Amino acid sequence: NEDFVKVVSSTSRLIPVASFNPDLSVQENVDRLKRLGDVILGVKVFPTLHFIRPDSEKLKPLYDSVASIGGVVIIHTGCDPGVWELPAFCSNARPSYVARAARMSRDTTFIVAHLGSYSALNPGIYFREALEALAEDNVYADTSAVDPYYVERAVEEVGYDKLLFGSDYPAVVGLDIAMALEELMMLGIPMEAKRAIVRDNPLRLLKSWSGWHRVARHLEL
């Protein structure tokens, strides 16, 4: 993580997010966040691969530390390739657990990655839970690796103020960032919704981050 952050933070167009490391104690993860907190936007947790539920009390010190820098906690929801497609292995990654974590740590901003829909065998597996999680004030969701159908549904059912563009590039084979953006722009949703998802919503979160002043001068706003 440190090497990755060092390389990425030296550019003006990329803002790194660190991964939670389950091989370290939560306190060691917190200490690392404090070392990197002026250059990273937050932390990503993989409930599937990290074998931990997002609403575990064990993670609260980490969430509180992210809140202290005005950052975000991105939580993978849905399934993963291979054995993690089985419900027994992906059940930790339910958006309802993210909602519980959000209620546990009200000052922390959580992002439900993939709108709870990531699954090759059962696309949209936890989509309804993701929409319910968005009812929490401090929960957002991203569109990475999501069938555009579910993005359109989400806008129709809960609005667009808490949706963020994402691509999951290069993990999704055959889909790059430009293609993901083109798919979003072709949806039958209002132009103001597209602008909000791509620009206004992420910008609102970035402005709360302690490192915002470093990157703002590089952006054309």
Side-chain angles (χ1 to χ4, degrees):
N1 266 297
E2 264 98 336
D3 291 341
F4 166 75
V5 169
K6 183 177 180 180
V7 171
V8 174
S9 62
S10 66
T11 75
S12 61
R13 300 183 63 192
L14 297 173
I15 301 172
V17 172
S19 173
F20 172 72
N21 187 342
D23 294 329
L24 303 177
S25 70
V26 171
Q27 186 56 52
E28 287 174 309
N29 275 273
V30 169
D31 292 343
R32 185 189 60 181
L33 178 64
K34 290 178 179 178
R35 291 197 305 273
L36 303 176
D38 60 335
V39 293
I40 66 171
L41 181 60
V43 173
K44 183 164 186 179
V45 178
F46 285 85
T48 46
L49 307 182
H50 294 161
F51 295 97
I52 190 168
R53 273 178 45 165
D55 58 346
S56 169
E57 285 280 349
K58 176 181 176 182
L59 291 173
K60 193 174 189 309
L62 181 65
Y63 296 158
D64 291 344
S65 186
V66 172
S68 72
I69 64 169
V72 299
V73 175
I74 304 171
I75 299 185
H76 172 89
T77 62
C79 300
D80 273 309
V83 69
W84 285 278
E85 280 284 357
L86 300 176
F89 287 91
C90 70
S91 61
N92 278 352
R94 300 183 73 118
S96 57
Y97 298 151
V98 182
R100 292 180 188 174
R103 291 192 290 272
M104 178 176 69
S105 300
R106 286 291 185 187
D107 294 332
T108 308
T109 298
F110 293 85
I111 298 175
V112 173
H114 319 305
L115 260 172
S117 303
Y118 193 90
S119 174
L121 299 182
N122 188 11
I125 183 169
Y126 299 135
F127 175 68
R128 296 245 60 92
E129 280 192 24
L131 297 189
E132 292 168 4
L134 288 172
E136 303 296 333
D137 291 342
N138 53 333
V139 174
Y140 287 70
D142 75 28
T143 67
S144 60
V146 176
D147 187 304
Y149 165 79
Y150 292 105
V151 178
E152 199 163 44
R153 285 271 305 279
V155 172
E156 292 171 354
E157 296 191 34
V158 300
Y160 52 81
D161 289 340
K162 298 172 80 177
L163 297 179
L164 311 164
F165 171 75
S167 68
D168 213 22
Y169 174 82
V172 179
V173 177
L175 180 70
D176 60 29
I177 297 172
M179 291 169 60
L181 181 60
E182 183 178 2
E183 285 185 350
L184 175 69
M185 299 306 290
M186 291 176 64
L187 293 180
I189 58 178
M191 182 54 69
E192 59 263 31
K194 297 172 184 177
R195 177 186 171 92
I197 295 169
V198 171
R199 180 185 188 278
D200 297 342
N201 298 344
L203 188 58
R204 185 167 66 250
L205 293 182
L206 282 170
K207 286 182 175 179
S208 298
W209 172 48
S210 61
W212 168 246
H213 65 282
R214 290 190 314 99
V215 299
R217 64 181 181 274
H218 299 295
L219 301 177
E220 295 180 8
L221 302 175

